[in-house]
Amino acid sequence: MRQLATLPLRLLLQLAGRAYVPGWTLDAVRRRAGTLAATGAGCTLGYFNPPGRAVPAVAAECLAIVDTVAGLQPAGYLSIKAPAFGFDAQAMAPVLAHARARGVHVHFDSHDIASAGPTLHCLAQAAGQGGSLGLTLPGRWPRSLDDAEMACALGVRPRIVKGEWPDPAHPRADARAGFLALVERLAGRVPELAVATHDPALAHEALARLQAAGTRCELELLHGLPRRAPQQVADALGVPVRLYLPYGMPWRPYALRKLGENPRIAWWLLKDSVLGACQQWGRRDAGA
């Protein structure tokens, strides 16, 4: 009965997610990735698996992504979700080995704070096998400063984000201040990192600080969010831009329990549902 009661809202969540997820299948984003490469922009491809998807099926999607991005210039890379593999580096091993063989970077995405420790442990095991790896560091979490130190020790490429999920122990943590604290902690200490934000003022401040420290950097943006203003910041600073193209189960960080905690989420949900519906109908009309 509870599942039936929440079914309309879950369908609305999926529709809202369509504003950010270009399609259900890899084919839906493969064409977009090729178009981006033709314009000189890089891409990140990530599979958003539905709940309960078996690990071999998730691994098969990731293997296909590796083959897709291996031939792209500028180079594309795979964003992987450790929870989808049960935080098991052995289960990831075939994907990581294939990525190493094809020279493809593999990035470990961030989720809620409960998954941060297991994800980092899984990354540390993977780093022992070699290859090009990365880790997302949310500015919203105070623990990210320590995780940044681990990223430096492991030699992985960081991606700094504000972070969607709060730390229950620090619910009022300033995501923007934490973002810049991570920039300061990593500037000059890693060969390269990604700044992932659509906030143009924050992007400018972060990228300028990294450039001043001599750290290579790029701006990473999420498909479906406004891009013009942050793109202009990157262009002005001469920084490359990469677009994150997820596919699979439409997803946005609208946990059902959060609707009661933050009434603004209901507005975001309605707005994104309309946008997602328009984009889905547009793709259907275009034969996508």
Side-chain angles (χ1 to χ4, degrees):
M1 290 297 294
R2 180 179 298 176
Q3 289 181 342
L4 288 174
T6 60
L7 181 59
L9 184 53
R10 292 181 185 278
L11 292 175
L12 194 60
L13 290 173
Q14 289 192 20
L15 189 57
R18 273 285 164 240
Y20 306 91
V21 180
W24 291 101
T25 67
L26 179 56
D27 283 341
V29 295
R30 184 181 284 119
R31 293 188 295 272
R32 179 69 172 131
T35 300
L36 284 170
T39 66
C43 71
T44 301
L45 300 189
Y47 174 54
F48 285 7
N49 57 288
R53 189 77 191 271
V55 169
V58 175
E61 294 287 346
C62 292
L63 288 168
I65 290 175
V66 169
D67 288 331
T68 294
V69 300
L72 294 178
Q73 291 296 330
Y77 68 77
L78 162 67
S79 263
I80 201 167
K81 298 184 177 299
F85 288 85
F87 303 103
D88 184 351
Q90 285 299 111
M92 289 183 183
V95 175
L96 298 173
H98 191 52
R100 288 195 301 272
R102 302 221 58 183
V104 170
H105 178 77
V106 178
H107 185 91
F108 282 64
D109 272 340
S110 172
H111 301 273
D112 62 4
I113 195 163
S115 68
T119 295
L120 189 59
H121 178 71
C122 189
L123 173 62
Q125 290 182 294
Q129 303 301 314
S132 177
L133 301 172
L135 174 67
T136 294
L137 298 169
R140 194 178 299 276
W141 301 345
R143 68 160 289 159
S144 289
L145 289 172
D146 290 334
D147 292 346
E149 295 294 334
M150 181 64 75
C152 290
L154 293 174
V156 303
R157 178 182 184 270
R159 178 204 287 157
I160 302 175
V161 302
K162 284 184 180 177
E164 294 283 357
W165 303 101
D167 178 350
H170 303 276
R172 298 186 182 277
D174 187 328
R176 191 178 191 280
F179 191 107
L180 292 175
L182 284 168
V183 169
E184 286 298 317
R185 180 65 61 93
L186 293 166
R189 298 183 60 201
V190 293
E192 182 180 4
L193 61 77
V195 167
T197 179
H198 287 255
D199 178 340
L202 181 59
H204 186 279
E205 181 69 20
L207 294 170
R209 290 189 191 187
L210 291 167
Q211 287 184 323
T215 301
R216 294 195 309 273
C217 50
E218 68 176 10
L219 180 64
E220 187 159 348
L221 303 174
L222 177 63
H223 170 86
L225 292 180
R227 292 169 46 200
R228 180 176 300 176
Q231 177 78 54
Q232 289 173 343
V233 168
D235 291 345
L237 294 173
V239 172
V241 173
R242 179 181 300 275
L243 195 65
Y244 191 143
L245 298 171
Y247 74 94
M249 175 65 72
W251 179 90
R252 271 292 276 162
Y254 302 120
L256 296 178
R257 56 183 170 80
K258 287 181 168 290
L259 288 173
E261 300 170 6
N262 186 352
R264 290 182 299 170
I265 292 179
W267 164 245
W268 296 336
L269 177 58
L270 179 60
K271 179 190 66 174
D272 289 349
S273 297
V274 173
L275 178 59
C278 291
Q279 291 190 359
Q280 184 169 334
W281 289 332
R283 285 193 292 268
R284 189 175 297 163
D285 290 342

